[in-house]
Amino acid sequence: MPIVRVALRSAPTLWRCEPSWSWTCRPLADHLLWCVLDGRGVLEYADRRHDLHPGVCAVFRPGDTPRATHDPHRRLLVFGMHFSAVPTAAPDPRCGEVMDRELLGMLARTSDAAYQRKDELGMHQAELCLQQLITLVWDAVRNPGRSGGDAAIDEIARLLRQDPGRVWSVAEMAQRALLSRAQFTRRFVARLGMSPAQYLIQARIDRAHQLLTESGMTVTETAAALGYTDVPYFSRQYRQRTGRSPSQDR
């Protein structure tokens, strides 16, 4: 994705499409972010067709002529805004499915609320949300097909980084991901490039470095806080991964 400068051309808007709603757009004069938060429908543009459901998002560029319809019994809830961008912020294809629905909804609501304040800080926050949303769409277009299993592995990796001093077992991680131990390990390695055990060690060493350089904790206190009962063993792992001893970094 290119680094783009954006400026809002319309207010961020959340709307529930009317039962009889359909969309036939004239050639766009500017860029348009268009995100589905709820409902079902169909989007067409440039001889392409996309089924619409929560998480499907698009960034259109000037000159595009999208069309859409929806199921009146499952009406679309859409978030969008018009904006200018230099260079173009539209990916090709225009549509992708953002798997993190929670983040998508949070950014949409934050952008809307910030813009409604009508102050300089609110406008800046709304533009930052726009940039993040554009990035999510580009990532969805470039890396399609992220599965629920991938999301579960990402969440477990986040928990390991968040609390590396806790006693974690691969069996517990696999249970959280609703996978067998072998499936979980295979998918974890494919996604993150190392085994769960090695990832946990790296998370502990990263946190140890932070504690040693910023907290004033001793080497023994740091080792204990991160689940090591053998300080020399901790020191060897630390040196293997950083090239320095813990005492050098403290």
Side-chain angles (χ1 to χ4, degrees), residues 21 23-25 42-48 60 65-69:
W21 173 89
W23 185 33
T24 302
C25 185
V42 174
L43 173 70
E44 297 178 342
Y45 74 93
D47 297 324
R48 299 184 189 222
F60 299 108
T65 56
R67 302 180 305 279
T69 57

Side-chain angles (χ1 to χ4, degrees), residues 5 29 52-53 63 74 178 185 193 225-226 229 241:
R5 298 192 306 274
L52 295 177
H53 53 267
R74 306 179 75 178
L178 302 178
T185 300
L226 292 169
T229 57
R241 291 177 180 263

Side-chain angles (χ1 to χ4, degrees), residues 156-232:
I156 290 166
R158 184 187 66 79
L159 291 174
L160 295 181
R161 296 192 304 272
Q162 177 180 298
D163 192 12
R166 184 187 153 185
V167 176
W168 292 94
S169 70
V170 176
E172 179 192 356
M173 298 180 211
Q175 185 177 24
R176 282 175 175 262
L178 302 178
L179 296 168
S180 70
R181 180 168 177 160
Q183 287 177 318
F184 172 76
T185 300
R186 184 171 61 253
R187 291 193 185 187
F188 196 101
V189 171
R191 186 150 185 85
L192 297 169
M194 63 182 77
S195 71
Q198 290 299 314
Y199 192 91
L200 178 58
I201 292 171
Q202 187 61 55
R204 287 176 171 170
I205 298 304
D206 289 344
R207 180 58 176 162
H209 179 265
Q210 186 178 27
L211 292 174
L212 290 168
T213 57
E214 298 178 9
S215 74
M217 292 171 67
T218 66
V219 173
T220 300
E221 290 169 339
T222 299
L226 292 169
Y228 290 92
T229 57
D230 185 335
V231 176

Side-chain angles (χ1 to χ4, degrees), residues 122-134:
M123 297 299 174
H124 180 58
Q125 189 174 12
E127 288 187 349
L128 289 176
C129 289
L130 169 61
Q131 289 181 322
Q132 181 61 53
L133 286 161
I134 293 169

Side-chain angles (χ1 to χ4, degrees), residues 10-102:
S10 71
T13 307
L14 281 159
W15 71 92
R16 178 75 69 174
C17 297
E18 297 75 16
S20 61
W21 173 89
S22 65
W23 185 33
T24 302
C25 185
R26 296 177 180 177
L28 289 167
D30 47 25
H31 287 77
L32 173 64
L33 172 72
W34 204 81
C35 302
V36 176
L37 304 182
D38 192 22
R40 295 290 187 273
V42 174
L43 173 70
E44 297 178 342
Y45 74 93
D47 297 324
R48 299 184 189 222
R49 185 182 186 278
H50 293 270
D51 290 331
L52 295 177
H53 53 267
V56 173
C57 300
V59 178
F60 299 108
R61 67 184 299 172
D64 285 346
T65 56
R67 302 180 305 279
T69 57
H70 74 150
D71 181 345
H73 301 291
R74 306 179 75 178
R75 295 157 53 197
L76 290 176
L77 175 63
V78 177
F79 171 77
M81 67 185 90
H82 290 266
F83 64 97
S84 63
V86 180
T88 182
D92 188 21
R94 303 285 190 260
C95 279
E97 182 176 356
V98 175
M99 302 305 296
D100 193 336
R101 314 279 198 270
E102 184 177 352

